[in-house]
Amino acid sequence: MHDDELIARAKAWLAEDPDAETREELAKLIDAQDLLELTTRFTGTLQFGTAGLRGELGAGPMRMNRSVVIRAAAGLAAYLKAKGETDGLVVIGYDARHKSADFAQDTAAVMTGAGLRAAVLPRPLPTPVLAFAIRHLGAVAGVEVTASHNPPRDNGYKVYLGDGSQIVPPADAEIAAEIAAVHALADVPRPAAGWETLDDSVLNAYLARTDAVLAPGSPRTARTVYTAMHGVGRETLLAAFARAGFPAPELVAEQADPDPEFPTVAFPNPEEPGAMDLAFAKARETNPDLIIANDPDADRCAAAVPTAGGWRMLRGDEVGALLATHLVRRGVRGTFAESIVSSSLLGRIAEKAGLPYEETLTGFKWIARVEGLRYGYEEALGYCVDPEGVRDKDGITAALLITELASGLKSEGRTLLDLLDDIAVEHGLHATDQLSVRVEDLSVIANAMRRLRERPPTHLAGLPITKAEDLTKGTETLPPTDGLRYTLDGARVIVRPSGTEPKLKCYLEVVVPVSTHADLAAARARATDLLETIKRDLSAAAGI
């Protein structure tokens, strides 16, 4: 793009930008003739896909801002009307990030202007409340304004359809085409009123459903420390715990209130190094049975447990296996499902229990669509334990269920770690790890994937690769996706670019047979050694 064309595009964008803050930001860039920054903002547009939109806040079509959101909302409205939903209800939720409330109101205005009915949740609330509200209110679609656990400078726009689950192809491409067809913002009607702001009745209905995930009369004695990670989970989680009769969680005060700056963490994600440090400190003060953490929009749940050497975060796969075992022992029926990057242990648990099992592509947009789903999970701390209520991951109900399990074990003088030992002896030790590389330059990811495709490894950690699959071609049970899967003798590796962050993610699993509890220490040492060696060999093969 020539410099004159770049400046002209920026000025045209400035002329219709409805936000004083981004107008001022863009005007300064134009006045300064900052061609490098303008190029990053105006070369292309944020792409709408199955994750909706997600990106850094700021002016221009490559950033998250009111202009981009208005176009996205207009595209969604046009898509719904083309599907015959001419006067359907669209329910809108939002988190406490910068601009989230503005983006929610813009969406409501656009839906109203398009002749649809719009209803906005009463305040920043967990994403699972929005997912619940769609089905509860009989909406034709839902929008959640959130960037989940992304850095403070980001925001996002997540779209659900009337079944209460996130969009999948071809809906994403069809909505993207309608967004691309939006020309001037002046062509998008945006009345100043006409939509409904919901009261607490939807939240109360959601909370009433949370009771259903627990077994009547189950022990409710486990003491917890809880962190909301500067997000919106606290109010809803405390209400759910109080209804259930659990002891009130001890709060990590520094992270209890919503704060879009996330001042105490580098990344507001319980999986990131340092994010749980304040929770561990609170636990050392109060000596609870369990630490519970939500991510900022409270659709994910993390748990940590005391050990002889201090507090330890459970991996998402460990919590996934614990919840599955708990549900099996309660006699639930239905299909257990997980994504391909999660531990194969769930399949073994389901098989032994005589339950159907399915594996899906990454993301709850796929897991939630499994027929007859009773329980679904993903290793990135996402758990769906009440699919009839919330067809998405839900960090509130998952927290209730893991605390119920801890309470039951406590009544027997046992812990979650004791149950993990039992699971390993019964099904084999399934140890998982992740090699995750965050990049500034996305070409690093593309180069790594190309290198692995052109020169695939034949061994990792001395184990022969018995099967190498390029998932872009799909499989008998999975549609195409950008990823590679290697099956080894006693191990499995999946490599894929993240769908929501500038990361290359490599998911590793090793399975070590275990005969008795006495064998566990040696098995864990063997698994740790294998995982570290696979990680090193894979890094070399990918050139990262």
Side-chain angles (χ1 to χ4, degrees), residues 200-389:
D200 277 351
S201 59
V202 169
L203 175 62
N204 292 336
Y206 166 82
L207 287 169
R209 264 212 78 94
T210 64
D211 300 344
V213 306
L214 304 175
S218 62
R220 312 278 169 92
T221 59
R223 295 173 50 251
T224 57
V225 158
Y226 172 69
T227 175
M229 205 65 67
H230 298 296
V232 299
R234 180 192 64 182
E235 174 189 314
T236 306
L237 182 130
L238 291 181
F241 269 56
R243 288 180 64 99
F246 288 112
E250 294 276 357
L251 299 180
V252 178
E254 301 93 328
Q255 298 175 335
D257 294 329
D259 188 333
E261 291 298 322
F262 306 104
T264 69
V265 291
F267 292 95
N269 179 353
E271 293 180 296
E272 293 283 350
M276 295 289 288
D277 286 355
L278 288 171
F280 293 156
K282 186 69 174 180
R284 288 192 291 271
E285 289 175 18
T286 57
N287 196 32
D289 301 298
L290 187 66
I291 296 174
I292 295 291
N294 286 138
D295 69 337
D297 69 327
D299 63 350
R300 300 171 196 245
C301 176
V305 293
T307 70
W311 284 84
R312 176 171 87 79
M313 272 277 288
L314 295 178
R315 301 191 69 84
D317 285 316
E318 291 177 312
V319 175
L322 287 167
L323 294 180
T325 300
H326 184 42
L327 291 170
V328 165
R329 291 181 175 181
R330 277 178 33 185
V332 305
R333 308 306 296 172
T335 301
F336 280 21
E338 64 180 341
S339 65
I340 57 172
V341 299
S342 305
S343 172
S344 60
L345 176 55
L346 184 68
R348 297 197 182 193
I349 292 170
E351 182 181 18
K352 188 155 188 180
L355 296 175
Y357 164 78
E358 283 200 33
E359 195 177 55
T360 75
L361 292 184
T362 308
F364 266 82
K365 57 184 174 283
W366 299 108
I367 295 172
R369 284 180 161 73
V370 168
E371 190 172 342
L373 181 68
R374 178 57 184 84
Y375 169 64
Y377 98 91
E378 191 157 61
E379 53 74 42
L381 311 182
Y383 313 94
C384 175
V385 301
D386 177 25
E388 287 305 305

Side-chain angles (χ1 to χ4, degrees), residues 3 20 31 99 107 134 141 171 199 205 292 386 425 501:
D3 293 352
D31 290 344
K99 300 289 184 182
T107 301
I134 295 166
D199 59 20
I292 295 291
D386 177 25
V425 172
E501 299 177 89

Side-chain angles (χ1 to χ4, degrees), residues 424-441:
V425 172
E426 184 174 1
H427 301 288
L429 176 67
H430 290 62
T432 58
D433 201 356
Q434 191 178 131
L435 171 62
S436 182
V437 181
R438 186 181 292 273
V439 301
E440 294 291 333
D441 180 1

